[in-house]
Amino acid sequence: LMTTISLRVEFGGGLELLFSNEKRHTLTLPALVPSDNNTNNVKFLSASASALDEVTKTKPTDVQYLMYHLRDHLLRDRPELFMENQTVRPGILVLINDTDWELEGEGDYVLQNNDEIVFISTLHGG
């Protein structure tokens, strides 16, 4: 059983400006994360799954958790330009392995090792 997953995340359309002006990021995330998308207790997530379940309810790492992780750990400022109402802000296109995330279940898509997630802002101006 894999305990971590590796992902490629890319930002375009100006969104990279919120992320230290870096278009491409490689992330390693735990394969199981808190159900409430809390990204602050990731440190203890290396514990065994059974020990983890006693502490908090978990779920497989999904795109929704990824958004919270990006917001809490990579975003430099203005989180409201990236997320709104627990999802990406309207006007941000999300691709999962080159497929529109709407065809993949949006935030519920469970991330797989080596997935590539691309966030592209279609909103120009500001």
Side-chain angles (χ1 to χ4, degrees), residues 55-78:
V55 181
T56 181
K57 290 285 175 227
T58 60
K59 64 177 181 176
T61 303
D62 56 15
V63 172
Q64 187 178 38
Y65 177 86
L66 173 64
M67 290 184 288
Y68 281 91
H69 178 85
L70 294 171
R71 182 196 69 189
D72 295 347
H73 299 283
L74 284 179
L75 190 65
R76 290 294 166 245
D77 53 8
R78 304 191 60 192

